């Protein structure tokens, strides 16, 4: 991952919920060319959702999701994975600063982050 992300937020859209089977997804999103697998590419596999313009890219051995793609062509990396790679800490500059598609939520979130 290089450069500034486009978004660091919680996504509540139906597409993320369907692709990942989660109530919402905490993500950091970059343009596609800003995220690359630099080694072990032969160890990953991709699942293309049949009815959405989305994919899930994951390790074919352990199942860890490395990133997802969305209809805008962005690569979305889970904040949880970023934390795992940083001794359990999410860098301050990547903390969620908004909830997107909050009107489509299936769970209420009681925090002070803006809801769009």
């Amino acid at each position: 991952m290089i450069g500034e992300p486009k978004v660091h937020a919680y996504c509540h859209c139906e597409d993320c919920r369907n692709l990942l089977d989660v109530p919402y997804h905490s993500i950091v999103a970059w343009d596609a060319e800003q995220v690359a697998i630099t080694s072990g590419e032969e160890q990953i596999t991709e699942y293309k959702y049949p009815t959405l313009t989305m994919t899930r890219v994951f390790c074919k051995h352990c199942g860890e999701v490395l990133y997802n793609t969305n209809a805008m062509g962005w690569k979305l990396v889970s904040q949880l994975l970023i934390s795992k790679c940083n001794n359990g800490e999410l860098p301050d500059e990547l903390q969620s600063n908004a909830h997107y598609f909050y009107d489509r939520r299936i769970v209420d979130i009681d925090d002070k982050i803006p809801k769009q």
Side-chain angles (χ1 to χ4, degrees):
M1 300 169 290
I2 57 170
E4 292 295 315
K6 299 192 78 56
V7 171
H8 38 98
Y10 298 106
C11 183
H12 296 266
C13 77
E14 296 92 344
D15 293 350
C16 283
R17 291 197 316 258
N18 289 334
L19 180 68
L20 299 168
D21 197 28
V22 295
Y24 61 91
H25 189 207
S26 57
I27 56 95
V28 181
W30 282 271
D31 283 321
E33 64 275 0
Q34 292 177 280
V35 176
I37 304 297
T38 58
S39 67
E41 192 169 333
E42 68 282 355
Q43 305 304 317
I44 64 169
T45 192
E46 182 177 292
Y47 170 74
K48 167 73 175 86
Y49 198 88
T51 58
L52 302 172
T53 310
M54 297 181 79
T55 57
R56 182 176 51 206
V57 178
F58 57 97
C59 173
K60 61 182 167 183
H61 299 288
C62 71
E64 180 81 61
V65 176
L66 304 174
Y67 63 86
N68 305 307
T69 62
N70 65 11
M72 295 174 283
W74 298 352
K75 289 184 178 176
L76 294 76
V77 180
S78 165
Q79 290 179 349
L80 179 58
L81 179 60
I82 295 170
S83 294
K84 285 181 182 181
C85 296
N86 287 284
N87 297 317
E89 297 292 325
L90 183 64
D92 288 341
E93 65 273 12
L94 300 180
Q95 296 286 334
S96 291
N97 60 5
H99 288 269
Y100 288 103
F101 305 105
Y102 192 73
D103 60 329
R104 301 178 191 175
R105 71 190 178 279
I106 59 171
V107 296
D108 292 332
I109 306 295
D110 184 20
D111 62 23
K112 297 186 187 315
I113 299 174
K115 294 163 177 73
Q116 303 175 14

